[in-house]
Amino acid sequence: MGELQVEKLSGNPDKIQYINQLIKDIHALEKLLENDAFEKKVTRIGVEQEFCLVNKHWGPSDKALEILKELDNNYFTSELALYNLEINLDPLELRNTCFSELHQDLEAHLEKVKKVAEKYKNKVMLTGILPTIGTRHLKLEYMTPLKRYKVLNEAIKDIRKDDIELHIKGVDELNLRHDSILYEGCNTSFQAHLQIDPDDFANTYNWAQAIAGPVLSICTNSPLLMGRELWEETRIALFAQSVDTRASTFILNEKEARVGFGNDWARGSVADFFKDSVIRFRSLLTTSFESDSLAEIEAGKVPRLKALKLHNGTVYKWNRLCYGTNDGLPHIRIENRYLPSGPTTEDEIANMMLWVGLMMGRPKTFDNIHTKMDFKDVKGNFFNAARYGMAAQFYWNGERISSHDLLLDHLLPMAFRGLYSMKVEPADAERYLSVIERRIRSKNGSRWMVEGFRKLKKDHKTPDALRILTATMYERQEKGYDIDAWQLPRGDEYRTRKKHRTVGDIMSAKIITAQQSDSAELVLRMMEWKNIHHVPILNSNMDLSGLLTWTDVGHFLDEPDKLEERIESIMERDLITTTADTPLKEAKNIIESNQINCLPVVKGKKLIGIITSNDL
């Protein structure tokens, strides 16, 4: 999509032309298959590296376009959010030292970004979800101001006819409602591409689906979102909901999500797969067309299939099938979209090698896997891996087995055999798959983050803990240690300077509240039992409407007849409030000048926290 000038399809007068082009592209694809025109003698691998840009306080930056402009390099491209960029590396033939060559190329390109980012006091981070992203970073001002992102956002909202809802439940729970697709910008991935033989498409694609859960389980690296512990790979749930075109009222109609694993095994040809996608997912965008694909084939040219590729670019399968051209020949490849960015480039190449090795090392016993494994078990394996990471249990080849045992005893040896069959240098295979083996025996990225965050939370408020965690991740990445060798944060990796501290850094977000209609006796007893001196009061709309303090109501405990009154009759209504972005020094002055002991923290009319003189 990044190559095209796109327009919204809904209500577009050129919609008929687009549909016509889309149908011709399907017919052209069928002709290419009939004519045996696809490249088959060579197998190539490729990579897209997404990464985060962070500012000097370890929060998301907004300098992506400035950095991209200065890079002035076709290998770099923008992403949805202003705190993300992407590197697209040249594909390499799968043989010899291709993985270490890819690694060197990736490091060289990252070094270019780092040098430019330094000029803007930015740093480059590799992580599935940046821990310091907050709700303020999901506002439209953080969306990259390019037409294609604006159009895609509008197209998805037009179909939903409602705001986007986010609900993820893990160890903690996150419920949010938002007016754009910018949640998707929280995700950064390491997208691996593998060229495949279209003649063996269904077998190959189904095998990619079968191994997805076990591969993901050892690679998870994004367990945190906005200070909540969610899934071991929260990206899987977050991305699925961030661009979901289904309004909540339609879910029972069993429409398929645009981001998903699929609902059944692949059957038929590559063309059948794309036909199914066109049937299942409404087209969102269109572009201009200079010629049609069938005419290009008649002229002896390789068609670009622009309409089909544009449609495919808005359907986000975790294993996405892609059409492309290379050296004048068309090819088919699988894009692995579930691998997260980070923790280090060495870890990323190791993840990719495990996947590629397994793809090439499929034993004959797993041919026609659709006859040997139930698709629902395979899909269940994938989501178990996303939720539980290395703690996942899988249904594999008729038995239940742990992630640890499946990877160590079955899949790692299989990956080695697959790599050797493609003449990959044994030293390369040993180097990178040893990273996977050490990780299986210790911990992966998501487990390190969870343990590190829990440790920091013992001595720090959540915002500080997240900044320290991010600073520690950067420090370890720069040293190049694989994740299995990372020590947990010490706690002194970053300290927020006093002049930069805000109310949000120290406020209490987990607070006990009451409603206006509650009885005074109940609320007063709650305060007494929990030794609470301040209780914010909410109205029927859950807006902040008052405050109850121990100073105001303590004497009611000695007057039993007044305990029967409702809270709204005794609460303080004239409130002095603050916001999370208010400098701490300013909040302290407000408390002292007004001779009060607490400040409710609000966003609009909604209570989001409380800060007291004790906190200060």
Side-chain angles (χ1 to χ4, degrees), residues 154-167:
E154 290 175 353
I156 288 177
K157 287 188 67 177
D158 281 354
I159 294 176
R160 283 184 57 88
K161 303 187 186 306
D162 201 355
D163 285 345
I164 293 167
E165 300 170 44
L166 179 70
H167 179 211

Side-chain angles (χ1 to χ4, degrees), residues 576-609:
I576 300 171
T577 62
T578 188
T579 65
D581 296 329
T582 301
L584 206 55
K585 185 177 180 181
E586 184 179 325
K588 185 177 181 180
N589 289 338
I590 293 172
I591 285 177
E592 290 176 351
S593 61
N594 288 279
Q595 296 184 326
I596 54 179
N597 292 312
C598 94
L599 275 174
V601 186
V602 296
K603 184 176 183 180
K605 296 180 179 180
K606 301 298 182 184
L607 179 75
I608 60 172

Side-chain angles (χ1 to χ4, degrees), residues 263-528:
N263 288 329
D264 203 352
W265 295 114
R267 291 178 174 84
S269 69
V270 169
D272 293 327
F273 186 88
F274 282 119
K275 285 177 186 176
D276 190 57
S277 178
V278 171
I279 291 167
R280 289 177 180 272
F281 303 104
R282 188 188 309 183
S283 293
L284 301 177
L285 309 172
T286 186
T287 189
S288 59
F289 301 96
E290 299 81 24
S291 62
D292 71 67
S293 47
L294 289 174
E296 288 175 326
I297 288 181
E298 291 296 324
K301 298 178 181 178
V302 177
R304 290 184 61 193
L305 308 187
K306 283 175 67 174
L308 182 60
K309 288 173 72 174
L310 182 56
H311 174 85
N312 196 47
T314 62
V315 179
Y316 308 93
K317 297 287 187 187
W318 292 113
N319 282 308
R320 180 155 69 180
L321 198 65
C322 299
Y323 167 90
T325 57
N326 194 68
D327 293 336
L329 289 173
H331 68 259
I332 295 295
R333 65 187 187 273
I334 293 176
E335 178 189 21
N336 180 329
R337 299 178 55 82
Y338 58 78
L339 296 178
S341 179
T344 66
T345 54
E346 181 112 353
D347 284 302
E348 291 176 326
I349 299 296
N351 295 343
M352 180 184 184
M353 179 181 270
L354 173 65
W355 177 64
V356 171
L358 289 173
M359 287 297 296
M360 307 313 297
R362 182 183 80 220
K364 290 290 184 184
T365 53
F366 285 107
D367 284 351
N368 298 312
I369 197 166
H370 66 284
T371 65
K372 298 165 185 175
M373 290 177 69
D374 191 301
F375 183 81
K376 287 190 180 293
D377 283 338
V378 168
K379 187 172 182 178
N381 288 345
F382 181 76
F383 286 103
N384 280 344
R387 287 186 174 96
Y388 308 118
M390 292 173 65
Q393 297 276 324
F394 299 126
Y395 287 99
W396 181 264
N397 202 22
E399 62 181 52
R400 189 175 66 183
I401 186 170
S402 69
S403 167
H404 177 280
D405 291 347
L406 179 57
L407 285 162
L408 210 55
D409 299 339
H410 300 273
L411 299 187
L412 262 182
M414 192 186 297
F416 272 110
R417 290 194 294 270
L419 294 167
Y420 293 153
S421 73
M422 298 304 295
K423 303 295 188 290
V424 170
E425 182 66 37
D428 256 23
E430 181 68 29
R431 172 186 173 182
Y432 293 109
L433 289 187
S434 291
V435 172
I436 299 294
E437 183 177 355
R438 292 195 301 271
R439 205 188 297 163
I440 294 169
R441 299 183 188 278
S442 56
K443 58 182 176 296
N444 63 9
S446 57
R447 196 63 208 169
W448 181 89
M449 289 178 71
V450 165
E451 292 177 3
F453 184 55
R454 290 177 183 175
K455 178 185 176 184
L456 292 169
K457 284 274 287 178
K458 293 177 181 177
D459 301 308
H460 303 274
K461 292 280 190 178
T462 296
D464 278 341
L466 293 172
R467 280 192 282 264
I468 296 169
L469 185 71
T470 305
T472 306
M473 289 162 58
Y474 176 78
E475 177 187 288
R476 306 287 196 273
Q477 284 177 10
E478 287 298 290
K479 289 180 178 177
Y481 300 149
D482 304 335
I483 186 63
D484 64 276
W486 284 20
Q487 298 296 312
L488 293 180
R490 300 180 303 274
D492 62 355
E493 286 83 356
Y494 177 72
R495 190 176 298 277
T496 306
R497 296 177 65 181
K498 283 187 177 181
K499 67 177 182 179
H500 294 137
R501 294 185 76 78
T502 65
V503 167
D505 291 332
I506 70 165
M507 73 180 187
S508 298
K510 293 183 179 179
I511 48 182
I512 293 176
T513 62
Q515 290 193 276
Q516 290 180 184
S517 57
D518 288 339
S519 74
E521 182 174 16
L522 174 62
V523 178
L524 292 173
R525 294 305 177 191
M526 285 167 46
M527 296 172 73
E528 184 180 31

Side-chain angles (χ1 to χ4, degrees), residues 103-358:
H103 192 182
Q104 291 169 5
D105 197 18
L106 177 59
E107 286 283 358
H109 280 83
L110 284 170
E111 281 302 316
K112 291 178 183 177
V113 187
K114 290 174 184 177
K115 287 179 181 177
V116 175
E118 283 178 9
K119 298 179 183 178
Y120 296 88
K121 297 182 179 179
N122 274 205
K123 293 181 173 63
V124 171
M125 288 284 302
L126 303 180
T127 181
I129 296 175
L130 185 65
T132 49
I133 285 177
T135 53
R136 67 184 182 279
H137 304 116
L138 301 176
K139 295 178 180 177
L140 285 175
E141 63 205 59
Y142 275 94
M143 183 181 285
T144 302
L146 294 178
K147 185 177 180 180
R148 62 178 179 266
Y149 300 126
K150 180 182 178 183
V151 169
L152 181 61
N153 183 54
E154 290 175 353
I156 288 177
K157 287 188 67 177
D158 281 354
I159 294 176
R160 283 184 57 88
K161 303 187 186 306
D162 201 355
D163 285 345
I164 293 167
E165 300 170 44
L166 179 70
H167 179 211
I168 306 174
K169 191 170 186 177
V171 176
D172 298 321
E173 191 169 1
L174 189 65
N175 288 282
L176 291 171
R177 190 177 180 92
H178 207 56
D179 61 355
S180 79
I181 62 170
L182 205 51
Y183 285 128
E184 195 274 322
C186 297
N187 297 312
T188 39
S189 59
F190 183 79
Q191 294 160 17
H193 293 249
L194 176 66
Q195 188 174 331
I196 65 171
D197 182 350
D199 292 341
D200 194 36
F201 156 68
N203 234 350
T204 305
Y205 187 84
N206 288 337
W207 176 243
Q209 294 282 77
I211 64 174
V215 171
L216 176 61
S217 69
I218 195 61
C219 304
T220 58
N221 191 39
S222 58
L224 303 176
L225 178 61
M226 299 182 191
R228 311 291 207 287
E229 282 184 40
L230 301 171
W231 293 11
E232 291 286 290
E233 191 56 36
T234 302
R235 285 173 49 255
I236 302 302
L238 178 61
F239 191 23
Q241 296 182 42
S242 63
V243 291
D244 197 346
T245 53
R246 304 169 304 171
S248 298
T249 51
F250 296 156
I251 288 179
L252 292 179
N253 292 354
E254 296 190 6
K255 287 188 177 181
E256 190 176 343
R258 295 191 88 88
V259 179
F261 190 78
N263 288 329
D264 203 352
W265 295 114
R267 291 178 174 84
S269 69
V270 169
D272 293 327
F273 186 88
F274 282 119
K275 285 177 186 176
D276 190 57
S277 178
V278 171
I279 291 167
R280 289 177 180 272
F281 303 104
R282 188 188 309 183
S283 293
L284 301 177
L285 309 172
T286 186
T287 189
S288 59
F289 301 96
E290 299 81 24
S291 62
D292 71 67
S293 47
L294 289 174
E296 288 175 326
I297 288 181
E298 291 296 324
K301 298 178 181 178
V302 177
R304 290 184 61 193
L305 308 187
K306 283 175 67 174
L308 182 60
K309 288 173 72 174
L310 182 56
H311 174 85
N312 196 47
T314 62
V315 179
Y316 308 93
K317 297 287 187 187
W318 292 113
N319 282 308
R320 180 155 69 180
L321 198 65
C322 299
Y323 167 90
T325 57
N326 194 68
D327 293 336
L329 289 173
H331 68 259
I332 295 295
R333 65 187 187 273
I334 293 176
E335 178 189 21
N336 180 329
R337 299 178 55 82
Y338 58 78
L339 296 178
S341 179
T344 66
T345 54
E346 181 112 353
D347 284 302
E348 291 176 326
I349 299 296
N351 295 343
M352 180 184 184
M353 179 181 270
L354 173 65
W355 177 64
V356 171
L358 289 173

Side-chain angles (χ1 to χ4, degrees), residues 46-66:
V47 159
E48 297 173 64
Q49 170 75 75
E50 298 175 350
F51 57 89
C52 297
L53 295 166
V54 296
N55 57 34
K56 61 183 179 180
H57 305 301
W58 301 106
S61 169
D62 59 358
K63 301 296 182 184
L65 288 186
E66 290 95 323

